Amino acid sequence: MPKKTTAPLLSIRNLRVAVREKEILRGLSLTIRSGEIHAIMGPNGSGKSTLASTLMGHPAYAVTGGGAALHGSNLLDLAPDERARRGLFLAFQYPRELKGVSLRSFLHAAYEAQMHDRDPEHKKLSPLRFASMLTGVMRLLQMDPAFADRSVNEGFSGGERKKAEVLQLNILRPELALLDETDSGLDVDALKIVADGVNRMRGPAFSAIIVTHYARLLEYIVPDHVHVMIRGKIVESGGAALAHRLEKEGYAKYGVKERIALDEG
Ligand code: ADP
Ligand code: MG
């Protein structure tokens, strides 16, 4: 048996992924160890969301080469729910609506499923106990408690959807979170609240990949490693200072015109 304790949390080796016959990821390698926060920055269309969707097992993304292992075992053969059970969480760039399912019942069901997978002896929280935990986290995220009784994401603004993703992150407490542009569309106050929500999770048992277009979020969530993704590959890696350099210089040195310091508004 391989020594699983020494395997990195996530190991991506030379990953190639095609969408509708078009190759998007073109040999991407990345290693994440427990407790590390990694940021992936890159211009639009470089394949950041493709990486997130592939890691979560979205059926539209066909792996054509390379591989990815979670705790040393193959991740890419697992069904999406099995990946979630093994501790992977994805905050979507474009969170979807779940009509007719309240945020409260959605989160409670997801929470019980996760807790049961982690510990089959886990005793279910009563709706009342869960509600009080939920209210506590919502207060930290400065979300109106009334949101808990609304359908998931239905009629939520962009910023509210992003907060709902971080709420889910804080409730489920996954081992590895992939946050895909969780900062987009947030004003500075909301950005800080979202960053606090992620920072509260930091510790030896939590890792994250923060996908972002802008360095701004990384002022508040200081990453251990920053990677630059261009045309489906990581072309440079460094520490937190790399994000600042990218903000100043954009991606011109990689042959890309787009600047990244602009706000989307
Ligand atoms: P990023 O998140 O870095 O902006 P994406 O991963 O969203 O980049 O997109 C990378 C490329 O893959 C783009 O050219 C995009 O049009 C294409 N692509 C991604 N997902 C799909 C899809 N489901 N169908 C068709 N093309 C896609
Ligand atoms: Mg994207």
Side-chain angles (χ1 to χ4, degrees):
M1 283 291 288
K3 282 182 286 173
K4 288 200 171 167
T5 46
T6 57
L9 178 58
L10 178 71
S11 166
I12 303 173
R13 285 289 155 262
N14 207 21
L15 187 64
R16 291 178 173 273
V17 170
V19 185
R20 297 183 193 174
E21 320 273 291
K22 186 182 166 205
E23 190 171 61
I24 308 293
L25 298 187
R26 301 181 310 129
L28 184 137
S29 297
L30 182 65
T31 301
I32 314 266
R33 294 179 188 282
S34 292
E36 292 177 349
I37 307 283
H38 290 243
I40 298 180
M41 302 182 71
N44 272 329
S46 53
K48 303 182 301 295
S49 293
T50 297
L51 174 64
S53 298
T54 303
L55 292 177
M56 284 316 291
H58 190 299
Y61 299 81
V63 176
T64 56
L70 188 68
H71 284 304
S73 54
N74 187 357
L75 175 69
L76 301 174
D77 284 347
L78 304 175
D81 62 319
E82 182 61 27
R83 300 179 195 209
R85 252 182 245 135
R86 297 201 186 183
L88 200 57
F89 170 91
L90 173 63
F92 291 99
Q93 181 169 3
Y94 304 107
R96 274 161 292 181
E97 293 179 12
L98 286 174
K99 284 205 172 68
V101 182
S102 75
L103 186 57
R104 176 196 313 285
S105 54
F106 170 73
L107 288 175
H108 195 177
Y111 172 80
E112 294 299 349
Q114 285 269 330
M115 292 307 135
H116 182 266
D117 284 324
R118 284 179 215 168
D119 173 15
E121 311 271 282
H122 164 79
K123 285 209 186 61
K124 284 191 177 168
L125 286 187
S126 70
L128 210 62
R129 296 268 311 275
F130 182 77
S132 106
M133 174 171 85
L134 185 62
T135 311
V137 180
M138 288 179 90
R139 195 176 300 126
L140 289 171
L141 292 170
Q142 296 183 28
M143 290 177 84
D144 182 342
F147 272 87
D149 296 306
R150 290 172 56 177
S151 290
V152 178
N153 290 325
E154 197 182 357
F156 288 23
S157 71
E160 287 159 355
R161 287 178 188 224
K162 301 292 169 153
K163 277 193 181 179
E165 294 289 296
V166 178
L167 175 64
Q168 196 181 334
L169 174 77
N170 285 171
I171 296 287
L172 299 183
R173 312 193 67 80
E175 197 173 3
L176 176 60
L178 258 129
L179 307 178
D180 192 358
E181 306 219 9
T182 303
D183 51 340
S184 68
L186 297 182
D187 60 33
V188 175
D189 291 335
L191 190 77
K192 284 182 188 161
I193 291 165
V194 157
D196 285 347
V198 177
N199 285 330
R200 271 198 294 281
M201 306 273 306
R202 285 186 95 148
F206 176 71
S207 306
I209 302 173
I210 296 174
V211 170
T212 181
H213 199 78
Y214 303 96
R216 203 174 54 154
L217 178 67
L218 306 177
E219 298 288 326
Y220 303 107
I221 307 171
V222 179
D224 302 299
H225 301 274
V226 174
H227 310 279
V228 184
M229 185 162 165
I230 306 281
R231 295 184 197 92
K233 274 186 205 174
I234 286 173
V235 297
E236 188 172 353
S237 297
L242 178 53
H244 297 124
R245 202 198 76 204
L246 290 170
E247 186 170 62
K248 279 203 206 81
E249 299 174 6
Y251 297 100
K253 92 171 239 205
Y254 310 103
V256 178
K257 291 251 162 56
E258 189 187 28
R259 279 180 56 86
I260 54 158
L262 306 171
D263 204 308
E264 285 162 304

